[in-house]
Coordinates of all heavy atoms in Angstrom, one line a residue:
G4 N 17.5 -21.9 -0.7 CA 17.5 -21.7 -2.2 C 16.3 -22.3 -2.9 O 16.1 -22.0 -4.1
Q5 N 15.6 -23.1 -2.2 CA 14.4 -23.7 -2.8 C 13.3 -22.8 -2.8 O 13.1 -21.9 -1.9 CB 14.0 -25.0 -2.1 CG 12.9 -25.8 -2.7 CD 12.6 -27.1 -2.0 OE1 13.5 -27.6 -1.2 NE2 11.4 -27.6 -2.2
T6 N 12.4 -22.9 -3.8 CA 11.2 -22.0 -3.9 C 10.0 -22.9 -4.0 O 9.9 -23.8 -4.8 CB 11.2 -21.1 -5.1 OG1 12.4 -20.2 -4.9 CG2 10.0 -20.2 -5.2
I7 N 9.0 -22.6 -3.2 CA 7.7 -23.3 -3.3 C 6.7 -22.3 -4.0 O 6.6 -21.2 -3.5 CB 7.1 -23.7 -1.9 CG1 8.1 -24.6 -1.1 CG2 5.8 -24.3 -2.0 CD1 7.7 -24.8 0.3
R8 N 6.1 -22.7 -5.1 CA 5.2 -21.9 -5.8 C 3.8 -22.1 -5.3 O 3.3 -23.2 -5.1 CB 5.2 -22.2 -7.3 CG 6.6 -22.1 -8.0 CD 7.1 -20.7 -8.0 NE 6.2 -19.6 -8.4 CZ 6.6 -18.4 -8.8 NH1 7.8 -18.1 -8.7 NH2 5.7 -17.5 -9.2
V9 N 3.1 -21.0 -4.9 CA 1.7 -21.0 -4.5 C 1.0 -20.0 -5.4 O 1.1 -18.8 -5.2 CB 1.6 -20.6 -3.0 CG1 0.1 -20.7 -2.6 CG2 2.5 -21.4 -2.1
G10 N 0.3 -20.5 -6.4 CA -0.3 -19.6 -7.4 C 0.8 -18.8 -8.0 O 1.8 -19.3 -8.5
R11 N 0.6 -17.5 -8.0 CA 1.6 -16.6 -8.6 C 2.7 -16.1 -7.6 O 3.6 -15.4 -7.9 CB 0.9 -15.3 -9.2 CG 0.2 -14.5 -8.1 CD -0.6 -13.3 -8.8 NE -1.1 -12.5 -7.8 CZ -2.3 -12.7 -7.1 NH1 -2.9 -13.8 -7.4 NH2 -2.7 -11.9 -6.2
A12 N 2.6 -16.6 -6.4 CA 3.5 -16.2 -5.3 C 4.7 -17.2 -5.2 O 4.6 -18.4 -5.4 CB 2.9 -16.2 -3.9
A13 N 5.9 -16.6 -4.9 CA 7.1 -17.3 -4.7 C 7.4 -17.4 -3.2 O 7.6 -16.3 -2.6 CB 8.3 -16.7 -5.5
V14 N 7.5 -18.5 -2.7 CA 7.8 -18.7 -1.3 C 9.2 -19.3 -1.2 O 9.4 -20.5 -1.4 CB 6.8 -19.6 -0.5 CG1 7.2 -19.7 0.9 CG2 5.4 -19.1 -0.7
D15 N 10.2 -18.5 -0.9 CA 11.6 -18.9 -0.8 C 12.0 -19.4 0.5 O 11.6 -18.9 1.6 CB 12.5 -17.7 -1.2 CG 12.3 -17.2 -2.6 OD1 12.0 -18.0 -3.5 OD2 12.4 -15.9 -2.8
V16 N 12.7 -20.5 0.5 CA 13.2 -21.2 1.7 C 14.5 -20.6 2.1 O 15.5 -20.6 1.3 CB 13.3 -22.7 1.5 CG1 13.8 -23.4 2.8 CG2 12.0 -23.3 1.1
V17 N 14.6 -20.1 3.3 CA 15.9 -19.5 3.9 C 16.2 -20.3 5.1 O 15.4 -20.4 6.1 CB 15.7 -18.0 4.2 CG1 17.0 -17.5 4.8 CG2 15.3 -17.2 3.0
H18 N 17.4 -20.9 5.1 CA 17.8 -21.7 6.2 C 18.3 -20.8 7.4 O 19.2 -20.0 7.2 CB 18.9 -22.7 5.8 CG 19.3 -23.7 6.9 ND1 20.5 -24.3 6.9 CD2 18.6 -24.2 7.9 CE1 20.5 -25.2 7.9 NE2 19.4 -25.2 8.5
T19 N 17.6 -20.8 8.5 CA 17.9 -19.9 9.6 C 18.0 -20.7 10.9 O 17.2 -20.6 11.8 CB 16.7 -18.9 9.8 OG1 15.5 -19.5 9.7 CG2 16.8 -17.9 8.6
P20 N 19.0 -21.6 11.0 CA 19.1 -22.5 12.1 C 19.6 -21.7 13.4 O 20.1 -20.6 13.3 CB 20.2 -23.5 11.7 CG 21.0 -22.7 10.7 CD 20.1 -21.8 10.0
G21 N 19.5 -22.4 14.5 CA 19.9 -21.9 15.8 C 19.0 -22.3 16.9 O 19.4 -22.8 17.9
H22 N 17.7 -22.1 16.7 CA 16.7 -22.6 17.6 C 16.6 -24.1 17.4 O 16.5 -24.9 18.4 CB 15.3 -22.0 17.3 CG 14.2 -22.5 18.1 ND1 14.2 -22.3 19.5 CD2 13.1 -23.2 17.8 CE1 13.1 -22.8 20.0 NE2 12.4 -23.4 19.0
T23 N 16.6 -24.6 16.2 CA 16.9 -26.0 15.8 C 17.8 -26.0 14.6 O 18.1 -24.9 14.0 CB 15.6 -26.7 15.4 OG1 15.1 -26.1 14.1 CG2 14.5 -26.5 16.4
E24 N 18.4 -27.1 14.3 CA 19.4 -27.2 13.2 C 18.7 -27.1 11.9 O 19.3 -26.6 10.9 CB 20.1 -28.5 13.3 CG 21.1 -28.6 14.4 CD 22.0 -29.8 14.3 OE1 21.5 -30.9 14.3 OE2 23.3 -29.6 14.3
G25 N 17.4 -27.5 11.8 CA 16.7 -27.4 10.6 C 15.7 -26.3 10.4 O 14.8 -26.3 9.5
S26 N 15.8 -25.3 11.3 CA 14.9 -24.1 11.3 C 15.0 -23.4 9.9 O 16.1 -23.1 9.5 CB 15.2 -23.2 12.4 OG 14.4 -22.0 12.3
V27 N 13.9 -23.1 9.3 CA 13.9 -22.3 8.1 C 12.9 -21.2 8.2 O 11.9 -21.2 9.1 CB 13.5 -23.1 6.8 CG1 14.5 -24.3 6.6 CG2 12.1 -23.7 6.9
S28 N 13.1 -20.1 7.4 CA 12.1 -19.1 7.3 C 11.5 -19.1 5.9 O 12.3 -19.4 4.9 CB 12.7 -17.7 7.5 OG 13.1 -17.6 8.9
Y29 N 10.2 -18.9 5.7 CA 9.6 -18.9 4.4 C 9.3 -17.5 4.0 O 8.5 -16.8 4.6 CB 8.3 -19.7 4.4 CG 8.5 -21.2 4.6 CD1 8.3 -21.8 5.9 CD2 9.0 -22.0 3.6 CE1 8.5 -23.1 6.1 CE2 9.3 -23.4 3.9 CZ 9.0 -23.9 5.1 OH 9.2 -25.3 5.3
V30 N 10.1 -17.0 3.0 CA 10.0 -15.6 2.6 C 9.1 -15.5 1.4 O 9.4 -16.0 0.3 CB 11.4 -15.0 2.3 CG1 11.3 -13.5 1.9 CG2 12.2 -15.1 3.6
I31 N 8.0 -14.7 1.5 CA 7.0 -14.6 0.4 C 7.3 -13.4 -0.4 O 7.2 -12.2 0.1 CB 5.6 -14.5 1.1 CG1 5.4 -15.6 2.1 CG2 4.5 -14.5 0.0 CD1 4.2 -15.3 3.0
D32 N 7.6 -13.6 -1.7 CA 7.9 -12.5 -2.6 C 8.9 -11.5 -2.1 O 8.8 -10.3 -2.5 CB 6.5 -11.8 -3.0 CG 5.6 -12.8 -3.8 OD1 6.2 -13.7 -4.5 OD2 4.4 -12.6 -3.8
G33 N 9.8 -11.9 -1.3 CA 10.8 -11.0 -0.8 C 10.3 -9.9 0.2 O 11.0 -9.0 0.5
E34 N 9.0 -10.0 0.6 CA 8.4 -9.0 1.4 C 8.0 -9.4 2.8 O 7.9 -8.6 3.7 CB 7.2 -8.4 0.7 CG 7.5 -7.7 -0.6 CD 6.3 -7.0 -1.2 OE1 5.3 -6.8 -0.5 OE2 6.3 -6.6 -2.4
V35 N 7.6 -10.7 3.0 CA 7.1 -11.2 4.3 C 7.9 -12.4 4.6 O 8.0 -13.4 3.8 CB 5.6 -11.5 4.2 CG1 5.1 -12.1 5.5 CG2 4.8 -10.3 3.9
A36 N 8.4 -12.5 5.8 CA 9.1 -13.7 6.3 C 8.4 -14.4 7.4 O 8.1 -13.8 8.5 CB 10.5 -13.3 6.8
L37 N 8.0 -15.6 7.1 CA 7.4 -16.5 8.2 C 8.6 -17.1 8.9 O 9.2 -18.1 8.4 CB 6.5 -17.5 7.6 CG 5.4 -17.0 6.6 CD1 4.5 -18.1 6.2 CD2 4.5 -15.9 7.3
T38 N 8.9 -16.6 10.0 CA 10.2 -16.9 10.7 C 10.2 -18.0 11.7 O 11.2 -18.4 12.2 CB 10.8 -15.6 11.3 OG1 9.8 -15.1 12.2 CG2 11.2 -14.6 10.3
G39 N 9.0 -18.6 11.9 CA 8.9 -19.7 12.9 C 9.4 -19.2 14.2 O 9.0 -18.2 14.8

């Protein structure tokens, strides 16, 4: 639910555990997911 602002872009934090307990994906403007 947290958002990191980078310029005009919104990078939303999505908790996606399983590989690790703290694994997150960073979703950029709802279009690109950096899934680790």
Side-chain angles (χ1 to χ4, degrees):
Q5 182 176 344
T6 298
I7 302 171
R8 303 296 310 194
V9 185
R11 64 186 183 278
V14 181
D15 295 325
V16 181
V17 180
H18 190 202
T19 49
H22 177 66
T23 67
E24 289 190 302
S26 173
V27 301
S28 296
Y29 295 104
V30 178
I31 310 164
D32 291 334
E34 296 188 14
V35 177
L37 308 183
T38 52

